[in-house]
């Protein structure tokens, strides 16, 4: 009887912890989106490299997904296939405004190759989420972020790297991508052999998401500061 009670308490504790992390993640994402909208209203979309578009779409998809889960409907997984394609296109455009013409062409070639692979070799149009697409997004993020870090450190200037909003964006997508790959590659193996550990990894993913959007919040602060500095000049 005591063992049964302990098990029930453990289940409830895990559920409450999971709900808390999910709510914290959505709250941070919501704060980011609102701040980004305010910044766009003040200084225009280009002042933050159109980051508000990404945040609005992400928040909308997350809220819709949680609403569907609340209703006990799980037929929305395919939307994340299209969302993943959007991520590749959006961040190609984001970094294209920073990279040199040569790197921009290389990045375009990689982006086109990935999109062609997704179109020809995956069922992105199917009802289920294609894990391969998520892994491709992560590899694209990692390569792009590392190239940006290399260029930023190579082309040193007086501006501190932590004052550069692209530093925080790059840190965010790099951190998220590394963990997502760690979780996604063994996902189907863990689903059959260790579902409890997979559940823990899914919960940790919300924490990773929260950290990423916290870094994005700092990036938005840096975008705002840059806009104020330009206005004063």
């Amino acid at each position: 009887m005591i063992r049964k009670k302990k098990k029930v308490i453990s289940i409830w504790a895990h559920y409450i912890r999971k709900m808390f992390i999910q709510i914290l993640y959505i709250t941070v994402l919501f704060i980011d989106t609102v701040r980004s909208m305010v910044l766009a209203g003040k200084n225009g979309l280009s002042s933050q490299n159109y980051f508000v578009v990404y945040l609005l779409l992400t928040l909308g998809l997350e809220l819709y997904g949680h609403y569907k889960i609340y209703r006990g409907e799980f037929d929305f997984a395919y939307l994340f296939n299209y969302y993943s394609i959007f991520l590749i296109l959006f961040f190609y455009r984001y970094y294209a405004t920073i990279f040199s013409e040569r790197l921009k062409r290389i990045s375009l070639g990689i982006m086109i190759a990935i999109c062609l692979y997704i179109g020809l070799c995956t069922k992105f149009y199917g009802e289920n989420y294609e894990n391969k697409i998520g892994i491709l997004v992560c590899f694209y993020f990692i390569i792009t972020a590392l190239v940006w870090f290399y260029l930023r450190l190579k082309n040193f200037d007086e501006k501190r790297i932590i004052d550069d909003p692209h530093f925080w964006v790059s840190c965010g997508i790099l951190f998220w991508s590394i963990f997502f790959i760690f979780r996604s590659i063994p996902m189907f193996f863990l689903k059959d052999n260790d579902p409890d550990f997979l559940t823990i990894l899914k919960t940790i993913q919300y924490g990773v998401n929260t950290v990423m959007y916290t870094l994005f919040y700092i990036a938005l602060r840096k975008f705002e500061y840059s806009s104020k500095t330009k206005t004063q000049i």
Side-chain angles (χ1 to χ4, degrees), residues 103-183:
L103 276 176
K104 195 183 300 183
R105 289 194 295 271
I106 294 172
S107 181
L108 177 61
I110 294 172
M111 185 269 291
I112 292 173
I114 291 175
C115 289
L116 284 174
Y117 178 84
I118 292 173
L120 298 173
C121 303
T122 68
K123 295 181 179 179
F124 68 93
Y125 48 83
E127 296 180 357
N128 300 315
Y129 176 65
E130 279 281 335
N131 201 42
K132 288 186 291 186
I133 299 178
I135 293 173
L136 285 171
V137 171
C138 290
F139 278 120
Y140 182 74
F141 279 2
I142 290 171
I143 292 170
T144 304
L146 289 178
V147 168
W148 182 87
F149 276 112
Y150 171 76
L151 292 174
R152 184 62 174 79
L153 295 173
K154 180 183 177 183
N155 303 320
F156 179 79
D157 57 31
E158 294 182 359
K159 184 178 181 181
R160 296 188 305 169
I161 191 171
I162 59 173
D163 291 332
D164 191 331
H166 307 310
F167 167 77
W168 298 101
V169 172
S170 299
C171 283
I173 64 173
L174 186 62
F175 176 67
W176 178 86
S177 299
I178 291 171
F179 182 82
F180 189 87
I181 288 176
F182 171 75
R183 181 177 78 88

Side-chain angles (χ1 to χ4, degrees), residues 63-74:
L63 291 176
Y64 178 73
H66 281 78
Y67 170 74
K68 295 285 280 185
I69 291 172
Y70 173 77
R71 289 177 56 90
E73 300 172 0
F74 302 93

